[in-house]
Amino acid sequence: MTGLTKQDFSSDQETRWCPGCGDYAVLAAVQGLMPELGIPPHRVVFVSGIGCAGRFAYYMDTYGMHGIHGRAPALATGLAAARGDLSIWVITGDGDALSIGGNHLIHALRRNVPLKILMFNNQIYGLTKGQASPTSERGKVTKSTPFGAHDAPFNPLALVLGAGATFAARTIDRDRVHMTAVLRAAAEHRGAAFVEIYQNCPVFNDGAFAPLTDKQQAVFNRIPLEHGEPVRFGPDSEHGVVRAPDGRLVVGAGDDPAIVVHDAHRDDPAQAFALARLADSPSDPTAIGVFRAVERPVGIAEAGAKLAEARGSLEPGALHDLLHAGDTWTVAG
Amino acid sequence: MTGLTKQDFSSDQETRWCPGCGDYAVLAAVQGLMPELGIPPHRVVFVSGIGCAGRFAYYMDTYGMHGIHGRAPALATGLAAARGDLSIWVITGDGDALSIGGNHLIHALRRNVPLKILMFNNQIYGLTKGQASPTSERGKVTKSTPFGAHDAPFNPLALVLGAGATFAARTIDRDRVHMTAVLRAAAEHRGAAFVEIYQNCPVFNDGAFAPLTDKQQAVFNRIPLEHGEPVRFGPDSEHGVVRAPDGRLVVGAGDDPAIVVHDAHRDDPAQAFALARLADSPSDPTAIGVFRAVERPVGIAEAGAKLAEARGSLEPGALHDLLHAGDTWTVAG
Amino acid sequence: MRVQVKERRRVIVRFAGDSGDGMQLAGSRFMDATAEHGNDFATLPSFPAEIRAPAGTLAGVSAFQIHFAAQDILTPGDEPDVLVAMNPAALRSELGALARRGTVIANEDAFTKRNLEKAGYDANPLEDGSLDGFHLIRIPMTSLTARATEAMEHVSTRDAGRAKNLFALGVVSWLYDRPTAPTERWIRAKFADKPGPLEANLAAFRAGWNFGETSELVDVQYRVDPATDVPAGTYRNVNGTTATALGLIAASVRSGLPLVLASYPITPASELLHELARHQDMGVRTIQAEDEIAAAGMALGAAFGGALGVTATSGPGLDLKTETIGLAVALELPLVVIDVQRAGPSTGMPTKTEQSDLLAALHGRHGESPLPVIAASTPGQCFEAAYEAARIAVTYRTPVILLSDLFLANSSEPWLIPDAGALPPIDPAFAQPGEPFSPYARDEKGARPWAIPGTPGLTHRIGGLETEDVTGDISYDGANHARMTAIRAAKIAGITADLPRLEVDADPGAELLVLGWGSSRGAIRAAARRVRANGHAVATAHLHHLHPLPFDLGEVLHRFERVLVPEMNSGQFASVLRARFLVDVESYGAMEGRPLYAAELERELEERL
Amino acid sequence: MRVQVKERRRVIVRFAGDSGDGMQLAGSRFMDATAEHGNDFATLPSFPAEIRAPAGTLAGVSAFQIHFAAQDILTPGDEPDVLVAMNPAALRSELGALARRGTVIANEDAFTKRNLEKAGYDANPLEDGSLDGFHLIRIPMTSLTARATEAMEHVSTRDAGRAKNLFALGVVSWLYDRPTAPTERWIRAKFADKPGPLEANLAAFRAGWNFGETSELVDVQYRVDPATDVPAGTYRNVNGTTATALGLIAASVRSGLPLVLASYPITPASELLHELARHQDMGVRTIQAEDEIAAAGMALGAAFGGALGVTATSGPGLDLKTETIGLAVALELPLVVIDVQRAGPSTGMPTKTEQSDLLAALHGRHGESPLPVIAASTPGQCFEAAYEAARIAVTYRTPVILLSDLFLANSSEPWLIPDAGALPPIDPAFAQPGEPFSPYARDEKGARPWAIPGTPGLTHRIGGLETEDVTGDISYDGANHARMTAIRAAKIAGITADLPRLEVDADPGAELLVLGWGSSRGAIRAAARRVRANGHAVATAHLHHLHPLPFDLGEVLHRFERVLVPEMNSGQFASVLRARFLVDVESYGAMEGRPLYAAELERELEERL
Ligand SMILES: Cc1ncc(C[n+]2csc(CCOP(=O)(O)OP(=O)(O)O)c2C)c(N)n1
Ligand SMILES: Cc1ncc(C[n+]2csc(CCOP(=O)(O)OP(=O)(O)O)c2C)c(N)n1
Ligand code: SF4
Ligand code: SF4
Ligand SMILES: [Mg+2]
Ligand SMILES: [Mg+2]
């Protein structure tokens, strides 16, 4: 242990989220996890976008940058390219990450930039007071969709797996233990880690995740993924995810021989993708946990290392030689 | 038949691609297909981004807009929102669509906007003379990556399936018949159709698709997908795509009982995703054809219809009433 | 006891409380009663910054100010005469603005130890004499509301707790003798199917009114007679957002072009998206785009298809639309871009107003890409400004930037409803089949044909590469580029011919011209009124077209000894005038995230007179 | 026969042919020989527009112009004295530029019916007398090259076919008596392991040289003596792109900050990405971002981490970076943004030069967001300009926009290599652990501390919301916003104190000041030289800092009767000066996608003298 405490990671800024906001729970979990990771606050950076979630960075007593809307992954990528010695976390919302920031997100994942990207998914625009987000379900009535949203939502995990994410996970604001475990796994991943956090917005989208958080319903709807374990759920694991003869993954009996065994380290993301697509919205049984965690080259880090190396070994005369490279001629005075 | 001919769709502009460029073949195929679709040129619009591919729009004698880099899907979405009566095609390159335009692409697909999106994938930046693109393979040496690209490429079909594309297909510039069939299917799809076209750039990335176009190799590397058919390939269909006991799709024997039967209309995109991920680069056996084609609500079109309707049924006094809506009071003169 | 009744010409009241206290509602009801009473008025709500702050804190204060008078008035007012403070935080954050010897009406129940701490008071200001300079009226509103509603069968304590704003409203309504009918009507309609809130609110409102009438605490009642000097006609109350929405819809209906608004939410521009989204029935199509770049692109794509394409945003979003606006300049298609300005740079202060995007609107595009810029001047005038922006965009086939700001968007005033039939015509003049057609041929105004997809025989291609004059083919010819650059500039400059001469309101012998643009209009006119009342001669004029400028502006500027341009920035428009006319324009810039005050301008003017 | 030898002070040669003909190569070899010979020179390549055009068409013409002289020269020259035309298209597209009675050296083998058609000639211009005004030298280069290489064992007909550019080079090298050694050296090195091309190119080059010497067609040889009036020192040849790259690397090495360049490819800025990507060994890190927004964000993120963050682009990309640059203004972090200008608006003419992004650089951000703008003036000066941009960015913790243009990027000239050790120091002055620290405290220059992640004890948060003075906490306070706005502006304005006084090159009694910025420097000085030669008095000055401006500029402007600002736009900088100094600055704007010509400026000056 490191002797670090939660307080070492808590800034003096008064938290300004609405009472009951799920963001508080995430903040508590992250501040609680940090000391365990054994990284001193001054080596940790939180880069956030704009949104309620984005305020997160101000509450961590680490280095932090509250960027502009949707661009946090780009800002963080530049930081990672310049510095291989930091633990860099990106805090973003469903609108910040998937609407305006979609391109930077998929490219940061494609590049496997060593960032821990936490997406607070409340399926709504909180900060701007209640417009539809790319994860709002079809038909949802919001300020910007008074007659109901007519577009299908993204399935964030399906999207990031399609983009080649080497680490993809989902957890829930209300489950501190599960969230902490998932965040720890993300922290330990070598490359880019994407974590979708179902986060309740009591003001503009209250209860969006009730099926997964409400005591009664949760046991029937949460499908916990454990690497190497058969995918079972229900009070007595009586349900399970099984592979139908035609290859599809469907919910079946917990003791079905065709039950799927979860393999998070599998190179082929197809099964993780299928698990992600089990439910497009958390109203149906929904898988949570680490969907994928595979080792891949971390290009930017490697290049970053080369960079440091090159700087280190720069001869005094290097600049002079560079300026004089190629054909030169001298005019006598 | 419509009495329309290829000439009716060919503009007077001199084509300016390099000799041997794959773009010529695509142009010929599209101009050849158009008359069959029975849509008069004045109801067809080509919207393109910037790149060699982007010049395509100038060569079609239809309505056309050569937009700005990466934004064609957004421009086309606006057009589709305003007009339900047009056949709208988007022409884009791998850089235009997947690098700068990534966000608009995934959102156009999520929204299922009725656009036919043709992505010319030459795995390089042609117009700007040879930088790496998001589909360039790891290690590729280009002007911008003299020591080799260190990032993994996107698998475009995996990405768009992750984004929820309702129609996703892949074809090859050198196979006029296959390309025409795929384009026809795209044209007939009700919502957003994404077609990846492997396109050779003889100047900056020659032979990138040789394994699929070269007479000798092609038969061993092309895995043609036919809806409802077992996925077999090879000179005598001796190879096939089979589902391994652990659920993965792998290349096996053509007569393996576990051979996969292709189902393009399946609601669950997981198998299409697995087929797309068979090969991340065309050097291995690669599936081509229509991966997915499912019916989904076309929100924008529906709303578009409402719009037209509303315009149609506007009472003469409607504006006056709107201006006077709510509490009003009158000051006597 | 008999209360005395005093007359007032003009009064400013500010309702302030916690975000949860319903101050916006109380203020709006007061506004409607005031409208019905026949006063002229202007209002300005102010909301807490982006994130919901914890209840009872300074950051959580929400306020609504109304200025009403027996004469026509021009601004929501600077210093309130009356401050209603529902809790200590409200008192603390708003007291600074209160006029000397102004009245404070405080809900003393809320001044608990806990709340005082949250607001950062060590002592209770209601007791420590710190309010001696003011007329303090302490009312236990919470408990009185509770008492007034107790024993009502449907009313829960929660209902009662949430009704105290109506009690406050009742008190102030009595104080200024507002009609009670509109408020009671509203309560009945609003809570028709919620008996609890209905009874609670009615009871609270009446209790407040009666309290005013009977309690000795309030010993004067004020009368503010209906305004008589306002033009005749039918009025309604609008804020800038509503007026803008109506202006766009009017332009759409009058031009026959369907309205397609593509926007990405951003404070304070989001409201326009919300407002227009409700008007599908008028053939309005709104799209929430994935970002501002897409929003601009969608609006432009819709315009290519023959719609009235509009996109609305605020500063950061304007930055992102830059490249697409430049494309619209090259394509020469109609596009209306609305920038509801807020305080920058960067994210800045999203809930505060400013006029600092002017130079970005004029010059914020690479290359030579001139376009018209229009600025709205009052909440009601947003209607006209939006309509004019659409008219110019369609007539000249050009993107137009309409500058509004947060103050205009949120501020309300009575609006003389125009006659729909009398609005200036907007003719899309689409190219017709059969007519001779070249994509970049030009009419007498320099506008190119708008040939929309679906028109037989007019298939053509346009794009962002330099185009050959007339044919529209791609051209890399240097001389053609120089010509096209000149043609694009001349087309925009030529709009001047369409513009009225500049109205100047000058006293005989006035040597100082106060020239404004945008939302400073009311403050400037109010300030001029005051210095005139002090016996000075002064001239004012206000610009709605910032590019191109009215043809006679130069001549006007040279008529005066001194020219002062007040703006909520560091002098951006002043620099435009200096460059164009080489006149030593003086600039007064206020950058405190609030509208200009008549009082500060009065000071500035006095100094120069 | 004995050829006569004539002397020339200055000569302009343009090599023109199809993109496939290797004209850039021939030109570059001629340039190196010229450098070795000791002439001063300047060159300008011109490439076909974006897409490869079909061989033999006008759109496919590629050209390389070199101006060399016995004295120091300032531009690549306006009108060539000699045009080498490898095919009809080259002749047709370039002839217009040729000086009256200039020389045309044409490869007559290429003037086939097919090629003539492709170039749009009905008749063969070599025969129809249309070239009578010029001195025409027809040489069957293709066949002579073939003959010269036939029977060489390794040489394929393909090799021979591709060597004709070396034949042309041989002819022109003889014509101007260039040393042959450098070219032969180059051929040997280049084709060391390709015997076929090696032999073919050597043979072709020599054949061309001998042809010049022996053929009666070429009856004069010209001598251009080495330039003697150039400063002593070691020189190399650089174009603007290379000089910029070297300047950035120098700043990185001298400051000890690793260089992180994040860019998205765009013509003509891509070259800088390519150039820097090769210098990993110097600790340079390049990232090809997914778009320009990301590129700016990555550079800024790297700066937060303590790197020298740079992003380079051209017009359309600058538009996209706007919002992020505004964030850098708010964060007050060092960031160098390089805009290699090209002809706009929108996609415009990507392969043509222009200076029309100036106002966008100065004002293209919402809100009040001032930042320094610097402009490079010659290919070699790009080194200094890039270094200065980095110095200011780091010293003042601010984004800096460096304006270059396509002409500078591609044009080459001899460059006096500076002494690495003598470059001005750049001190990152990172905040140190233990020191008292507030994120927005300021040093005497107004710069805030740069405390990079990893520094113990200095954890802090920064962001785009308005920050409280000194503490850097979020603040929505109006007075604080006004103060911070003023502080940001004053910091940038204060940079003036760092700037040298403006150098003015004025003749006694000069009444006209020609004030330039950016790449017009050479043309302005050359024009001034000419009018002086005509006996006129004139003054010139050139600005490298466009914001803030040198402290004595106003005083300088007032010293002269008239001020003329020539620029490749519609008068953008002129308007800046007018607004700032109320001086009636005249503007000469050329917008033909080419650099300003000394000749046209000479005309403009003469008119005003
Ligand atoms: C360029 C830009 N566009 C728009 C905005 C306004 N804006 C701020 S946050 C936000 C979305 C917030 O939604 P989300 O990302 O889901 O975060 P949440 O508030 O729900 O946590 C928007 C549209 C902005 N600040 N900048
Ligand atoms: C905003 C902007 N950034 C960059 C460019 C330069 N640019 C034009 S096309 C292109 C990429 C071309 O690659 P791709 O999309 O694959 O098309 P291809 O040329 O290969 O067909 C780039 C970077 C531009 N025109 N605009
Ligand atoms: S609006 Fe929703 S997400 Fe934002 S702080 Fe409040 S509760 Fe949380
Ligand atoms: S560069 Fe490549 S893609 Fe572009 S036109 Fe030439 S061959 Fe085709
Ligand atoms: Mg959200
Ligand atoms: Mg490509």
Side-chain angles (χ1 to χ4, degrees), chain A residues 14-18 50 52 55 68-69 71 95 99-100 125 127 129 131-132 143-144 146-147 150 203-204, chain C residues 48 50-54 57 59 264-267 270 273-274 277-278 280 285 288-292 320 346-347:
Chain A
E14 167 189 21
T15 47
R16 292 250 181 116
W17 290 305
C18 304
I50 308 287
C52 297
R55 289 304 180 90
I68 44 180
H69 194 31
R71 318 301 174 186
S99 195
I100 193 169
Y125 281 13
L127 186 60
K129 306 196 155 73
Q131 299 84 8
K143 283 205 184 118
S144 56
F147 304 107
H150 55 54
V203 174
F204 295 111
Chain C
E50 291 171 288
I51 301 230
R52 304 288 183 99
T57 62
Y264 186 71
I266 185 167
T267 304
S270 310
L273 169 62
H274 306 162
R278 287 192 226 99
Q280 270 192 11
R285 176 92 167 79
Q288 181 179 326
E290 57 268 28
D291 59 29
E292 285 88 350
L320 290 167
S346 196
T347 312

Side-chain angles (χ1 to χ4, degrees), chain B residues 93-95 120-126 133 199:
Chain B
D94 43 321
F120 295 28
N121 183 6
N122 53 12
Q123 303 188 338
I124 197 79
Y125 281 12
S133 102
Q199 171 244 327

Side-chain angles (χ1 to χ4, degrees), chain D residues 223-234:
Chain D
R223 220 179 65 234
V224 183
D225 292 334
T228 50
D229 58 351
V230 295
T234 302

Side-chain angles (χ1 to χ4, degrees), chain B residues 23 50-54 69 92-97 100 120 122 124-128 131 133 199, chain C residues 323, chain D residues 50 264-267 292 316-317 320 342 347:
Chain B
D23 293 357
I50 308 288
C52 297
H69 194 32
T92 179
D94 43 321
D96 192 58
I100 192 168
F120 295 28
N122 53 12
I124 197 79
Y125 281 12
L127 186 62
T128 47
Q131 300 84 9
S133 102
Q199 171 244 327
Chain C
E323 189 199 9
Chain D
E50 291 172 289
Y264 186 70
I266 184 167
T267 305
E292 285 89 349
L320 290 167
R342 66 187 210 187
T347 311

